[in-house]
């Protein structure tokens, strides 16, 4: 903290030189400094102390000081992987007393984490006792637990006694500690690191040792390798808890720039009524995860779960999430991914200390700096080995000289008054150095035997060869790099294992809304006033012909059900207005409601106030044509792909003539055959291929020539093995073979379809059906009936038909649709041969 300024003299700036120059006995002047400058400098000093001394790992060994000191202390104590365990309290005391004068809790917590298999991909410490669990259980006190180094930790410390790394004074200058470990392992990559410093943080994920080794070798072979090429060997993190990484976009960004996000999901399988979770995301507490899921169920955020059990044991993790009978386990799992930590985001932040400076690095830079560190270690180790070999060779040369003149040497030693005289005499008479002379004096008499003399000569020859080899290594960078490669390959072979975390291809990190909705077929109803809803088909029971039916929708006074569309919840619905505008919607976006509900105003779902007159269900827009028919008999064929991306306010599908309305739209193939039916009982059948495709804004061509006061009420795709079901306003209908309608050119008046008598009323709908189907008929008052097609007579064109639905007085039929078994479809099913209908890809 800055001292208070001397009030007697504050006009002149003061310098440290002035203070040093002050005469003895006189008071020294006070340093005058702005408080903001002093505060800034003090904070920067503190920040760098935290960054360098606590929070960030070194790029070379991937360790923070506390971890490095723990491993070094255990190494000095000799607590190796093949030695007995020692109490953790003994180790913590050693670290505190010699190297790390901070709290014992901090040291013990760091030691425990290095022993946890769910925290480190490759643990550096073997623990014996309670070292905590993935459920968040605390480890036992240090007086109860024991530990020792793992083989991998010993590889980190390998060659530390060969002057391979710099040593620095400890906190009280009484001992020396390593500034960094030799680290034969790429620990920063295989075990990762996380820490929060001042103004910065690091979050480096763990990786697989085999893949990391391959990436290191690939870099050594080709230093110009790019990040995408490195990712072919090192595709992504490998978390100790497994799980699944979805998408590769975030990985490429993180490895290229040093920053990025990835999605880590639990590994789960779905059964008929259950979800089995066997792996959870990295750093997720299992017990808290289960509690959170239970809370989601209680708060009804997720409604499809009936029970949760944790069946984990020594063999592995197993969380059983039972689903309700009416719930889709896949959908529930996607909901869990969205709302719980079964899916978590891992923010990659590749920050590490490079020459004691924090830097953000990409994956290539991390690999490059580690290889540089290993190169420096190999050079220092080789230099050390060379010096030791030369020193030993020097001594052996003296011994060999002594052995050649053994009698003279013995005589000289016997005649000397003391060892110093003998040493001087040997050095002078035989031209030896002081070290060689001392070695001769220290030589045991057993070395005079023939066998020992031969061993000495062989050792000297071997040392000369080793010295030449070590000198060649130091002179050749290629040999140094080959040694690094060989050591990495040896580590890979000895300690490498299979990847635990799967990586899914593609960039689909996010779960779409459709993934949260179960696939099922639903009935979509729309009323005359513009209310829409979807209802499960399970709410409609099959009845015999002539039954009274059930209510399909409750309507307000003056409203009635106008249209019925059936589709899968994952289908796209193209909504066409009466004036030819198209709006895009997904079925699951339509409100789910019961039969008794009137639904929701469609203006709240679509940006339109026009009446919807046609729905088309599509799976995609990759093929086919949209075929449109208007009330005045105009038809138009347009490629489906042109309608794939409508704007918020909709797009133009067809240009309408004044007073005309769009009545129906079908998705067809080019070889389809179209049948148009009118309200006065006429019908025309023609080939769609006779009409050329027109753009979205085109008006179309004439499809049928209408008589006075007539208009088109329906359009169907015809099939040879199907019949045409016609329903009239008074509830009478019939089936007629398609072949009864001859194929003509478009634009004709057609032939009679049904007699529109006073009993029947006008035609309101036509549907293409076959045996095995059902038909649903809807009345103006919202009554719906579902009857089997097999109960409806197949009769000729010029007939009146039979009663299909019994109507109350004043009620009339307004709509009808086909039901295939238990599935109501919006598009006709293809039949063998040239049907012209697009394949129905719904389940």
């Amino acid at each position: 903290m800055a001292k208070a300024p001397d009030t007697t003299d504050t006009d002149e700036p003061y310098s440290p030189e002035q203070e040093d120059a002050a005469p003895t006995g006189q008071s020294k002047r006070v340093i005058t400094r702005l408080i903001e400058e002093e505060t800034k400098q003090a904070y920067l000093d503190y920040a760098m102390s935290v960054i360098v001394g606590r929070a960030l790992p070194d790029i070379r060994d991937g360790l923070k000081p506390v971890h490095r000191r723990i491993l070094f202390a255990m190494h000095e104590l000799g607590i190796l992987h093949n030695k007995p365990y020692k109490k953790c309290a003994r180790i913590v005391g050693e670290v505190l007393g010699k190297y790390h004068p901070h709290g014992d809790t901090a040291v013990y917590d760091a030691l425990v984490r290095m022993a946890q298999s769910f925290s480190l991909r490759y643990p550096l410490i073997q623990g014996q006792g309670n070292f905590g669990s993935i459920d968040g259980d605390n480890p036992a006190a240090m007086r109860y637990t024991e530990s020792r180094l793992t083989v991998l930790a010993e590889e980190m410390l390998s060659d530390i006694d060969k002057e391979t790394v710099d040593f620095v004074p400890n906190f009280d200058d009484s001992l020396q500690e390593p500034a960094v470990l030799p680290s034969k392992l790429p620990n920063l990559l295989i075990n990762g690191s996380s820490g929060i410093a001042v103004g910065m943080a690091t979050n480096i994920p763990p990786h697989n040792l085999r893949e990391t080794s391959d990436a290191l070798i690939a870099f050594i072979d080709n230093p110009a390798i790019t990040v995408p090429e490195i990712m072919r060997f090192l595709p992504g993190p490998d978390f100790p808890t497994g799980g699944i990484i979805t998408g590769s976009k975030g990985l490429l960004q993180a490895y290229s720039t040093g920053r990025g996000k990835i999605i880590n999901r639990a590994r789960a399988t779905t059964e008929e009524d259950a979800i089995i979770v066997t792996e959870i995301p990295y750093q997720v507490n299992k017990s808290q995860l289960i509690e959170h899921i239970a809370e989601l169920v209680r708060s009804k955020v997720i409604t499809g779960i009936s029970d949760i059990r944790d069946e984990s044991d020594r063999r592995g993790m197993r969380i059983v999430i039972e689903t309700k009978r009416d719930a889709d386990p896949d959908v529930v799992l996607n909901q869990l991914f969205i709302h719980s930590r079964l899916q978590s985001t891992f923010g990659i932040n590749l920050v590490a200390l490079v020459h004691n400076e924090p830097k953000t690095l990409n994956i290539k830079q991390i690999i490059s700096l580690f290889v540089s560190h290993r190169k420096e270690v190999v050079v220092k180790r080789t230099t050390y080995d060379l010096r030791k070999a030369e020193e030993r060779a020097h001594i052996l040369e003296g011994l060999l000289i002594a052995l050649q003149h053994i009698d003279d040497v013995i005589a000289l030693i016997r005649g000397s008054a003391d060892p110093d005289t003998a040493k001087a005499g040997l050095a002078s008479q035989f031209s030896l150095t002081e070290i060689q002379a001392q070695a001769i004096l220290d030589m045991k008499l057993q070395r005079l035997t023939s066998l020992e003399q031969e061993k000495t000569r062989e050792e000297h020859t071997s040392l000369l060869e080793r010295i030449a080899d070590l000198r060649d290594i130091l002179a050749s960078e290629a040999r140094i790099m080959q040694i690094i490669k060989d050591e990495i390959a040896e580590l890979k072979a000895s300690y490498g294992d299979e990847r635990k975390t799967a990586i899914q291809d593609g960039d689909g990190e996010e779960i779409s809304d459709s993934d949260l909705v179960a696939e099922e077929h639903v009935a979509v109803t729309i009323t005359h006033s513009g209310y829409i809803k979807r209802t499960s088909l399970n709410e409609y029971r099959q009845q015999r012909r002539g039954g009274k039916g059930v209510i399909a929708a409750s309507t307000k006074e003056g409203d009635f059900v106008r249209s019925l569309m059936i589709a899968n919840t994952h289908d796209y619905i193209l909504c066409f207005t009466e004036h030819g505008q198209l709006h895009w919607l997904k079925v699951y976006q339509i409100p789910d409601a019961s039969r008794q509900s009137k639904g929701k105003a469609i203006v709240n779902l679509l940006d339109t106030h026009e009446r919807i007159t046609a729905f088309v269900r599509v799976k995609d827009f990759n093929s086919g044509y949209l075929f449109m028919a208007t009330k005045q008999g105009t038809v138009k064929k347009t490629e489906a792909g042109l309608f794939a991306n409508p704007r918020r306010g909709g797009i133009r599908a067809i240009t309408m003539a004044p007073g005309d309305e769009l009545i129906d739209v079908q998705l067809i193939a080019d070889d389809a055959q179209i049948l148009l039916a009118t309200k006065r009982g006429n019908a025309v059948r023609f080939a769609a291929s006779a009409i050329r495709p027109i753009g979205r804004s085109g008006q179309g061509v004439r499809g049928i020539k209408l008589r006075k006061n007539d208009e088109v009420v329906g359009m169907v795709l015809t099939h040879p093995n199907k019949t045409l079901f016609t329903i009239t306003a008074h509830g009478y209908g019939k089936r007629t073979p398609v072949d009864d309608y001859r194929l003509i050119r478009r634009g004709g008046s057609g032939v009679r379809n049904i007699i529109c008598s006073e009993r029947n009323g006008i035609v309101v709908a036509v549907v293409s059906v076959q045996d095995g189907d059902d038909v649903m008929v809807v009345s103006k008052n919202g009554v719906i009936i579902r009857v089997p097609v097999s109960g409806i007579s197949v009769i000729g064109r010029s007939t009146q038909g039979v009663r299909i639905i019994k109507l109350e007085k004043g009620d009339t039929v307004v709509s009808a649709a086909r039901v295939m078994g238990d599935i109501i479809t919006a598009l006709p099913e293809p039949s063998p041969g040239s049907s012209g209908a697009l394949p129905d890809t719904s389940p």
Side-chain angles (χ1 to χ4, degrees), residues 384-642:
Y384 176 87
D385 290 341
L386 176 60
R387 187 178 80 247
K388 292 297 183 181
E390 289 175 339
E391 291 173 355
R392 178 62 179 167
H394 180 67
I395 292 174
L396 290 176
E397 287 170 0
L399 294 179
L400 289 175
I401 292 174
L403 291 174
Q404 290 176 357
H405 306 86
I406 190 60
D407 294 334
D408 296 336
V409 169
I410 292 174
L412 189 152
I413 293 174
R414 291 181 64 184
S416 300
D418 53 47
D420 291 339
T421 303
K423 184 192 300 183
L426 288 172
S428 173
Q429 182 173 342
F430 298 104
S431 300
L432 300 175
T433 65
E434 184 177 348
I435 295 175
Q436 289 174 324
Q438 183 64 45
I440 292 173
L441 292 175
D442 294 338
M443 182 176 62
K444 295 180 179 180
L445 291 177
Q446 70 180 23
R447 300 295 294 272
L448 300 179
T449 64
S450 299
L451 181 61
E452 289 297 320
Q453 290 185 35
E454 184 61 27
K455 286 182 178 180
T456 301
R457 294 188 184 94
E458 290 177 357
E459 182 182 359
H460 181 256
T461 301
S462 175
L463 272 177
L464 293 179
E465 293 176 355
R466 176 161 174 73
I467 290 170
D469 183 60
L470 292 173
R471 287 174 176 168
D472 183 67
I473 290 174
L474 292 174
S476 172
E477 183 174 354
R479 288 203 62 188
I480 294 174
M481 302 309 290
Q482 185 60 46
I483 290 173
I484 298 173
K485 284 177 58 178
D486 293 342
E487 290 178 347
I488 292 172
E490 184 179 351
L491 289 173
K492 173 186 173 182
S494 300
Y495 311 114
D497 57 3
E498 295 296 329
R499 163 174 281 277
K500 291 185 177 181
T501 304
I503 299 178
Q504 289 182 346
D505 295 332
D507 297 325
E509 288 92 349
E510 298 297 331
I511 295 177
S512 65
D513 292 341
S514 60
D515 294 327
L516 304 179
V517 179
E519 286 200 50
E520 63 173 330
H521 286 80
V522 293
V524 179
T525 56
I526 183 169
T527 71
H528 180 72
S529 297
Y531 285 86
I532 190 171
K533 69 172 182 176
R534 61 182 170 94
T535 306
S536 173
L537 294 184
N538 294 329
E539 296 205 27
Y540 301 106
R541 67 178 186 271
Q542 189 182 79
Q543 298 182 25
R544 292 183 176 274
R545 177 174 64 85
K548 295 190 65 175
V550 295
I551 295 295
S554 296
T555 58
K556 63 181 182 179
E557 186 177 356
D559 195 10
F560 59 89
V561 175
R562 181 178 183 85
S563 301
L564 172 68
M565 166 57 68
I566 310 303
N568 187 283
T569 49
H570 284 203
D571 288 348
Y572 299 98
I573 296 295
L574 302 184
C575 304
F576 295 84
T577 71
E578 57 185 333
H579 298 307
Q581 199 76 355
L582 167 63
H583 298 267
W584 193 87
L585 191 66
K586 276 226 168 186
V587 172
Y588 65 77
Q589 295 173 328
I590 301 172
D592 187 14
S594 65
R595 288 190 295 104
Q596 293 77 17
S597 173
K598 68 179 180 181
K600 186 174 182 179
I602 198 169
V603 293
N604 295 329
L605 303 177
L606 304 174
D607 188 13
T608 182
H609 296 285
E610 298 180 9
R611 183 166 54 91
I612 304 298
T613 57
F615 288 159
V616 174
R617 183 200 69 175
V618 293
K619 281 287 184 183
D620 54 56
F621 298 87
N622 296 329
S623 61
Y625 299 90
L626 285 175
F627 196 92
M628 308 171 204
T630 73
K631 183 182 292 186
Q632 295 181 1
T634 300
V635 294
K636 176 186 173 185
K637 185 173 72 173
T638 305
E639 292 181 5
L642 298 178

Side-chain angles (χ1 to χ4, degrees), residues 591-756:
D592 187 14
S594 65
R595 288 190 295 104
Q596 293 77 17
S597 173
K598 68 179 180 181
K600 186 174 182 179
I602 198 169
V603 293
N604 295 329
L605 303 177
L606 304 174
D607 188 13
T608 182
H609 296 285
E610 298 180 9
R611 183 166 54 91
I612 304 298
T613 57
F615 288 159
V616 174
R617 183 200 69 175
V618 293
K619 281 287 184 183
D620 54 56
F621 298 87
N622 296 329
S623 61
Y625 299 90
L626 285 175
F627 196 92
M628 308 171 204
T630 73
K631 183 182 292 186
Q632 295 181 1
T634 300
V635 294
K636 176 186 173 185
K637 185 173 72 173
T638 305
E639 292 181 5
L642 298 178
F643 300 93
N645 299 298
R647 294 179 290 274
R648 177 176 174 81
I651 59 175
R652 174 61 58 188
I654 182 174
T655 301
M656 308 294 299
D660 200 1
E661 292 182 11
L662 184 66
I663 63 162
D664 199 5
V665 183
Q666 294 274 9
L667 182 65
I668 67 167
D670 194 41
D671 59 348
Q673 293 181 3
I674 307 297
L675 188 144
L676 299 179
T678 73
K679 71 176 183 180
R680 297 296 179 184
N682 273 17
V684 62
R685 179 183 168 208
F686 56 89
S689 58
I691 301 175
R692 62 180 179 84
I694 305 175
R696 286 194 299 106
S697 58
Q699 186 172 354
V701 296
R702 176 183 290 181
I704 184 173
K705 185 177 180 180
L706 297 173
R707 296 184 174 91
K708 187 178 180 180
N709 296 327
D710 201 2
E711 60 188 37
V712 177
V713 294
M715 174 180 70
V716 297
L717 300 181
T718 63
H719 297 267
N721 63 335
K722 290 190 177 182
T723 55
L724 182 69
F725 171 69
T726 304
I727 184 73
T728 64
H730 295 167
Y732 291 87
K734 66 182 179 69
R735 289 195 294 155
T736 305
V738 171
D739 291 339
D740 284 5
Y741 304 88
R742 69 179 185 276
L743 190 64
I744 63 173
R745 298 182 62 181
R746 67 164 181 87
S749 297
V751 296
R752 183 180 295 278
N753 175 33
I754 191 173
I755 297 176
C756 294

Side-chain angles (χ1 to χ4, degrees), residues 235-354:
D238 187 20
F239 297 115
T241 54
I244 300 172
I245 296 174
T246 63
S248 57
K249 184 177 180 181
L251 284 174
L252 179 60
Q253 180 184 8
Y255 286 166
S256 300
T257 66
R259 296 178 185 273
K261 293 189 299 183
I262 59 174
I263 303 297
N264 187 205
R265 290 181 183 171
R267 189 185 297 272
T269 58
T270 57
E271 298 179 356
E272 185 176 353
D273 293 317
I275 299 169
I276 311 299
V277 179
T278 54
E279 296 174 2
I280 61 176
Y282 185 48
Q283 296 176 333
V284 170
N285 184 306
K286 177 161 65 69
S287 62
Q288 292 180 0
L289 169 67
I290 294 174
E291 290 176 5
H292 184 218
I293 294 175
E295 178 59 31
L296 291 173
V297 175
R298 284 193 294 268
S299 60
K300 297 185 178 180
V301 174
I302 300 176
T303 58
I305 296 176
S306 60
D307 189 23
I308 307 173
R309 297 191 308 276
D310 186 1
E311 298 180 356
S312 305
D313 54 23
R314 293 180 180 273
R315 293 172 294 180
M317 182 182 298
R318 179 180 170 88
I319 303 172
V320 179
I321 303 173
E322 292 187 358
T323 58
K324 296 179 180 178
R325 290 185 178 181
D326 58 346
D328 186 337
D330 291 316
V331 173
V332 173
L333 179 59
N334 285 331
Q335 292 173 341
L336 288 170
F337 285 148
I338 289 291
H339 298 291
S340 76
R341 295 202 68 192
L342 280 183
Q343 173 177 293
S344 65
T345 300
F346 188 95
I348 298 177
N349 196 13
L350 305 181
V351 177
L353 294 176
V354 181

Side-chain angles (χ1 to χ4, degrees), residues 768-787:
S768 180
V769 296
Q770 64 183 5
D771 288 338
D773 291 347
D774 293 346
V775 289
M776 293 181 76
V777 178
V778 183
S779 78
K780 180 176 64 174
N781 292 340
V783 178
I784 187 170
I785 187 172
R786 174 173 172 174
V787 298

Side-chain angles (χ1 to χ4, degrees), residues 774-831:
D774 293 346
V775 289
M776 293 181 76
V777 178
V778 183
S779 78
K780 180 176 64 174
N781 292 340
V783 178
I784 187 170
I785 187 172
R786 174 173 172 174
V787 298
V789 166
S790 59
I792 303 173
S793 303
V794 179
I795 53 181
R797 291 186 292 103
S798 298
T799 55
Q800 294 192 77
V802 295
R803 185 188 295 274
I804 304 298
I805 182 172
K806 188 176 182 180
L807 300 172
E808 298 292 340
K809 185 176 181 180
D811 197 6
T812 58
V813 174
V814 295
S815 180
R818 178 173 71 96
V819 185
M820 183 184 65
D822 288 333
I823 300 175
I824 306 176
T825 59
L827 294 177
E829 288 297 305
S831 58

